[in-house]
Every structure is written in C-alpha cells, then in structure tokens.
Amino acid sequence: AQSVTQLGSHVSVSEGALVLLRCNYSSSVPPYLFWYVQYPNQGLQLLLKYTSAATLVKGINGFEAEFKKSETSFHLTKPSAHMSDAAEYFCAVSPPNDYKLSFGAGTTVTVRA
Amino acid sequence: SAVISQKPSRDICQRGTSLTIQCQVDSQVTMMFWYRQQPGQSLTLIATANQGSEATYESGFVIDKFPISRPNLTFSTLTVSNMSPEDSSIYLCSVEGVTAGGYEQYFGPGTRLTVT
C-alpha cells in the first residue's frame, strides 16, 4: 500500500523567497512520486515526477524535488517564488508503472508581494 | 501529453436529480479514470474505465451511484445519480500516458458540481 503525507496545509511566502513544500511517503515497493499543481478553478498539471532514475528531478516553472529514500521524502522546492506560483500543490505516489495514484491532502501556497 | 476536455465545467443541481459528466481526450487511450475532490480535500479515485469492459470501482463507490460509460477509446461519461448535497465536489477525469520518463497521468479541468 502507498500513502503520502504533506506537512503543512498552507504555506505563505514572500515574492522572491524560497518555496519549500514537504512530502513524505510510505510504500511497500519502490515508488513513483509526483507533484501536481492546481491553479484556481483548473484541473491538475504535472510539475515533475520521480520514476527511479535521477534522485534530483527538475520540473516546469523552476520547481525541483529530491527523492531521499533514507528519509522517505520527496520535498518540492523553488528558489524564488513568483506571484503566479499561488496555487494548491499535491504530492502523489504510485507503485511503478501503476495507475493507482494516492494523493496527499494538498498544500495551498500564497505569495505575498 | 494528452488534451482533455470536460463538460459541463460547472453545474448547480437539485437534490434527487442526476448529472452526466463527459470527458473527451484528443488521442486514443486504454485507461481513463474518474476522481472526486470534495471541498478542501484531496483527490479520491472513484473508478477506472476501460473501453469494452465494465468500470472498476474503488472501495466506497458503487455503480448504482456513479454509473460510467466508456463507448470508445477517446470518450467516457460519469453520472452522479440521485444527488445529495454531499455529492458537491469537483469531478475530474484523467488518462494515462507513457513517456520516455515513464508513466504519468493527465487531468482534465474538472467539473464543479454544487447540489442544493
């Protein structure tokens, strides 16, 4: 079975500051891990994914995440926040090449000018 | 990546009625998925729809309440039957995709349903 825990339901950052969203996973098999972003009144867009290749994954819009097996973590970061980063972010886990995504509860990011 | 559209984008319905949500994808896909996102919550998988076979429902979801059709490889519908206010949610469809980087899912824009 797989599950994810996102620490912090809401994160507020200043424009230009570091964005750090935390995700810890539990999986009985080597997992695939994903970060999705949901802008207001829109569907989910894939930011990046880890599928057992490089542990540091770079995604769209300047985001990256690092898979740390020893910490069972897949935290999402962006060095400098933009106002357009205000959205809800979901971490998800699945078994390798399996459609069964398990989503975290989500983290809402607000960006202060 | 696949381009997915959903109709309607939003609706307000009276309790006891039913609403059918359509999902159209711009390429042929084997598996389509339906998710529910209740207010302020994460996504929960309702069912998996394969063309030519009955949908597979997750625990807590039943066919009588959420009948699904999958008539071809680019289209699916989800019906929310005998609605109650607890069915107020965003309903999203998704499709699988396989890229050089491995498996991923693409999501539609969602249907925002309010039941009064």
Side-chain angles (χ1 to χ4, degrees):
Chain A
Q2 291 76 39
S3 66
V4 293
T5 302
Q6 291 184 240
L7 300 176
S9 59
H10 186 244
V11 169
S12 179
V13 300
S14 297
E15 193 173 19
L18 171 72
V19 179
L20 170 60
L21 305 182
R22 300 179 187 274
C23 172
N24 288 90
Y25 69 90
S26 173
S27 178
S28 56
V29 297
Y32 280 10
L33 292 156
F34 306 83
W35 276 101
Y36 284 89
V37 61
Q38 185 177 34
Y39 298 103
N41 299 314
Q42 295 188 29
L44 272 70
Q45 180 180 7
L46 181 66
L47 274 178
L48 49 80
K49 64 183 180 184
Y50 166 77
T51 56
S52 74
T55 56
L56 181 62
V57 181
K58 295 186 182 298
I60 62 172
N61 302 339
F63 285 94
E64 64 181 38
E66 186 172 9
F67 172 71
K68 291 187 176 181
K69 183 178 180 180
S70 61
E71 299 177 7
T72 61
S73 69
F74 191 57
H75 302 331
L76 181 72
T77 60
K78 181 173 180 177
S80 177
H82 294 166
M83 298 299 289
S84 60
D85 294 326
E88 186 150 22
Y89 293 79
F90 293 96
C91 182
V93 64
S94 77
N97 288 318
D98 192 302
Y99 64 87
K100 290 239 181 185
L101 285 174
S102 298
F103 284 87
T107 299
T108 301
V109 172
T110 58
V111 182
R112 304 185 304 271
Chain B
S1 65
V3 177
I4 303 168
S5 60
Q6 288 186 231
K7 290 181 181 180
S9 58
R10 58 179 64 228
D11 207 342
I12 301 173
C13 302
Q14 292 189 342
R15 69 177 66 203
T17 63
S18 298
L19 177 71
T20 295
I21 302 168
Q22 299 179 6
C23 178
Q24 179 78 51
V25 63
D26 67 344
S27 58
Q28 295 185 338
V29 294
T30 302
M31 301 178 79
M32 297 180 76
F33 311 95
W34 287 98
Y35 288 83
R36 181 177 71 182
Q37 185 180 19
Q38 293 178 299
Q41 297 189 32
S42 188
L43 283 75
T44 301
L45 180 64
I46 297 172
T48 303
N50 289 341
Q51 193 267 336
S53 62
E54 287 201 3
T56 302
Y57 289 83
E58 298 299 306
S59 176
F61 297 96
V62 295
I63 187 172
D64 290 346
K65 176 67 176 177
F66 297 101
I68 289 171
S69 77
R70 182 77 200 275
N72 58 52
L73 291 174
T74 63
F75 187 78
S76 178
T77 67
L78 169 76
T79 299
V80 186
S81 304
N82 188 25
M83 288 183 285
S84 67
E86 291 71 35
D87 294 319
S88 297
S89 297
I90 300 172
Y91 292 86
L92 299 104
C93 71
S94 73
V95 303
E96 60 175 0
V98 179
T99 69
Y103 178 91
E104 57 191 65
Q105 282 189 29
Y106 309 111
F107 285 81
T111 296
R112 186 178 297 270
L113 170 62
T114 302
V115 183
T116 60

